[in-house]
């Protein structure tokens, strides 16, 4: 576990150009230096699809109107595997899932929705539509737990989708395990998945469970400290920790607490935030982790040759693009504390000056050298320069929605933890 240097410094990210409206019950996931956001509920149910480029602080709306794209949805899941985004559940019309497994796939390279060609038929087992479930990726599979199924309530179903073969497998335990729940969180670390909180029927939970991918068994993790009963929170793994943000009770107000669970010590710690920079209380939001710690690490050093169920060649990892900056130190190497990220429309003058208070910034290590000895360069030469994107945690949207029409966004530099 990295040493804590002080209270967390959260930074709001104001939006100056086209951006999705504020929302909750949406889904998001990261790929490279971008975050993809789909659907949810604002003033009405939504089916829009957006990509956010962290380096440029720029949103791009993507097509979600073709035949292979999903319709309006909420409380669905979205995960990334080798540049393919897998979306499951969230359909309002529960009868829809009786005719088709509610699974959609988006190719980030081709920028198009693909027709799923898994090996399930109507006679084979496959999960039905649900909301508020969790989904994580381990090796070449997606593991999906629980959710709320219309006419059945909270579910304890546990499914695995093999990305290579396209086949589903039912891993639902007979007795031991977290039991029925929805609105919980899940995060994968090494060969385990960690599941926290959620609702069982109308009862909030504060228990933590661990699933071992190697032994195929559940175990309960008991602790004298930790978050209270939470629903609608989000969690993400970071190095040897699980970071859990927000959420609330079914009948209580949302919180803005950030908790850290250390996988090695099995202990919880609530992380303090600088009072002036505390993010708003949120539930039914999304969080995403980006940076070097989230780059895919292929096991065994290679991926077997062949094609997946979508007819697309499998490759060893997601395509990564470095953090391209348009300036470089005139002399020597300079460690940055803050680097202001402006819109592409901003001119050279705005890119060169120090960030204004409340601006959109990425935070680095050393404060003393910012703004000294920088030289602006043209676009062509900037392509040869790269600066590593730091480890970041983004919080997107959530209830209650903000007063501004654009989506609420907050950022935390994880290397400060």
């Amino acid at each position: 576990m990295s040493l804590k240097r002080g209270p967390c410094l959260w930074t709001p990210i104001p939006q100056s150009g086209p951006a999705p409206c504020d929302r909750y019950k949406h889904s998001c996931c990261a790929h490279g230096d971008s975050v993809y956001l789909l659907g949810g509920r604002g003033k009405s149910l939504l089916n829009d699809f957006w990509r956010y480029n962290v380096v440029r602080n720029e949103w791009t709306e993507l097509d979600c109107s073709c035949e292979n794209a999903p319709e309006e949805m909420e409380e669905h899941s979205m995960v990334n595997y080798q540049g393919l985004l897998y979306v499951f559940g969230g359909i309002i019309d529960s009868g829809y899932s009786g005719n088709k497994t509610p699974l959609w796939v988006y190719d980030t390279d081709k920028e198009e929705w693909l027709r799923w060609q898994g090996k399930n038929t109507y006679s084979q087992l496959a999960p039905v539509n649900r909301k508020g479930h969790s989904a994580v990726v381990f090796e070449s599979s997606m593991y999906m737990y629980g959710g709320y199924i219309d006419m059945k309530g909270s579910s304890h179903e546990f499914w695995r989708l093999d990305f290579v073969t396209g086949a589903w497998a039912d891993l639902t335990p007979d007795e031991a395990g977290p039991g029925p729940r929805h609105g919980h969180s899940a995060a994968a670390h090494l060969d385990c998945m960690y599941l926290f909180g959620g609702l069982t029927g109308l009862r909030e939970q504060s228990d933590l469970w661990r699933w071992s991918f190697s032994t195929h068994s559940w175990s309960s993790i008991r602790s004298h400290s930790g978050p209270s009963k939470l629903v609608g929170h989000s969690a993400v793994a970071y190095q040897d920790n699980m970071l859990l943000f927000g959420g609330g009770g079914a009948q209580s107000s949302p919180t803005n607490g950030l908790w850290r669970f250390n996988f090695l010590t099995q202990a919880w710690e609530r992380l303090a935030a600088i009072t002036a920079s505390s993010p708003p209380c949120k539930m039914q939001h999304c969080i995403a982790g980006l940076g070097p710690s989230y780059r895919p690490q292929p096991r065994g050093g290679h991926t077997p040759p062949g094609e997946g169920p979508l007819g697309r060649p499998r490759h060893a990892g997601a395509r990564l693009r470095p953090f391209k900056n348009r300036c470089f130190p005139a002399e020597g190497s300079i460690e940055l504390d803050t680097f202001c990220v402006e819109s592409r429309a901003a001119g050279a003058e705005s890119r060169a000056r120090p960030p204004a208070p409340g601006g959109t910034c990425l935070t680095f290590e050393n404060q003393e050298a910012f703004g000294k000895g920088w030289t602006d360069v043209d676009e062509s030469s900037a392509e040869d320069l790269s600066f590593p994107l730091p480890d970041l945690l983004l919080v997107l949207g959530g209830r209650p929605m903000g007063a501004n029409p654009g989506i609420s966004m907050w950022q935390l530099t994880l290397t400060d933890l």
Side-chain angles (χ1 to χ4, degrees):
M1 180 176 65
S2 58
L3 296 177
K4 186 179 175 183
R5 303 177 183 174
C8 301
L9 175 61
W10 287 93
T11 306
I13 308 179
Q15 304 302 310
S16 58
C21 64
D22 207 8
R23 65 193 63 204
Y24 58 99
K25 296 185 177 181
H26 50 294
S27 68
C28 73
C29 70
H31 173 58
D33 58 3
S34 296
V35 176
Y36 291 80
L37 181 146
L38 175 66
R41 184 175 290 274
K43 295 181 179 179
S44 60
L45 198 60
L46 303 167
N47 76 327
D48 52 346
F49 187 37
W50 295 79
R51 180 182 63 234
Y52 175 68
N53 185 286
V54 178
V55 176
R56 296 194 299 264
N57 185 28
E58 180 179 271
W59 285 98
T60 302
E61 186 167 12
L62 305 173
D63 179 43
C64 201
S65 61
C66 64
E67 180 182 358
N68 296 328
E71 300 178 357
E72 294 88 351
M73 54 174 50
E74 62 180 5
E75 296 185 88
H76 47 291
S77 62
M78 179 165 58
V79 299
N80 170 36
Y81 176 68
Q82 296 187 348
L84 294 178
L85 308 184
Y86 293 80
V87 178
F88 186 90
I91 297 298
I92 299 302
D93 183 6
S94 60
Y96 177 86
S97 62
N99 299 320
K100 179 182 177 181
T101 301
L103 177 68
W104 298 266
V105 184
Y106 182 80
D107 190 320
T108 59
D109 289 338
K110 298 180 179 178
E111 297 189 349
E112 64 181 11
W113 292 93
L114 307 177
R115 182 178 299 278
W116 174 247
Q117 299 174 4
K119 294 189 177 181
N120 293 291
T121 65
Y122 299 135
S123 62
Q124 291 179 312
L125 290 178
V128 299
N129 181 56
R130 64 198 63 211
K131 304 174 187 176
H133 54 283
S134 62
V136 303
V137 172
F138 175 71
E139 294 186 338
S140 60
S141 296
M142 176 178 73
Y143 290 79
M144 188 176 69
Y145 190 89
Y148 187 91
I149 302 175
D150 288 347
M151 307 303 293
K152 293 184 179 180
S154 297
S155 170
H156 72 301
E157 291 180 359
F158 189 28
W159 291 87
R160 181 185 69 224
L161 171 64
D162 189 311
F163 294 131
V164 178
T165 65
W168 288 95
D170 189 351
L171 306 179
T172 305
D174 294 331
E175 296 181 2
R181 67 185 61 207
H182 64 282
H184 55 281
S185 65
H189 175 70
L190 297 180
D191 64 343
C192 292
M193 178 182 75
Y194 294 80
L195 186 150
F196 179 84
L199 276 173
T200 299
L202 297 176
R203 300 190 306 275
E204 301 97 338
Q205 305 295 328
S206 61
D207 50 348
L208 177 64
W209 289 82
R210 177 178 58 215
W211 165 263
S212 171
F213 295 110
S214 57
T215 64
H216 294 82
S217 61
W218 287 100
S219 58
S220 177
I221 301 176
R222 302 187 183 278
S223 176
H224 297 294
S225 62
S228 59
K229 298 177 180 180
L230 289 178
V231 178
H233 54 286
S234 295
V236 64
Y238 174 62
Q239 295 182 354
D240 291 327
N241 305 282
M242 177 174 68
L243 301 177
L244 186 151
F245 178 82
Q251 305 300 326
S252 63
S253 300
T255 70
N256 65 347
L258 177 64
W259 289 84
R260 172 168 59 190
F261 177 78
N262 186 269
F263 297 124
L264 303 179
T265 64
Q266 305 281 283
W268 285 99
E269 176 189 11
R270 180 161 182 168
L271 303 180
I274 297 176
T275 304
S277 73
S278 296
C281 298
K282 291 291 184 180
M283 64 186 303
Q284 296 172 331
H285 53 281
C286 285
I287 63 175
L290 299 98
S293 294
Y294 294 95
R295 292 175 181 171
Q297 300 294 330
R299 293 177 177 266
H302 69 282
T303 299
E307 293 187 351
L310 293 159
R312 169 183 170 174
R314 301 195 302 272
H315 45 87
R319 183 180 61 185
L320 298 175
R321 289 175 291 177
F323 179 11
K324 301 290 183 65
N325 73 69
R326 299 171 61 89
C327 302
F328 66 90
E331 295 181 3
S333 176
I334 297 179
E335 288 186 308
L336 291 179
D337 172 62
T338 332
F339 183 80
C340 191
V341 178
E342 301 283 352
S343 169
R344 272 190 171 183
E349 179 181 355
S350 65
R351 291 196 305 273
R353 64 173 179 261
T360 304
C361 301
L362 300 178
T363 304
F364 294 82
E365 297 283 337
N366 190 335
Q367 184 176 5
E368 298 178 356
F370 177 78
K372 297 180 181 179
W374 290 84
T375 303
D376 197 17
V377 296
D378 59 30
E379 185 74 23
S380 59
S381 60
E383 289 301 314
D384 296 330
L385 303 173
S386 64
F387 198 93
L389 182 72
D391 289 332
L392 301 173
L393 181 70
L394 298 184
V395 176
L396 300 95
R399 183 165 62 90
M401 294 188 292
N404 297 323
I407 189 167
S408 169
M409 294 183 63
W410 286 76
Q411 169 189 290
L412 174 67
T413 304
L414 295 177
T415 50
D416 292 337
L417 298 183

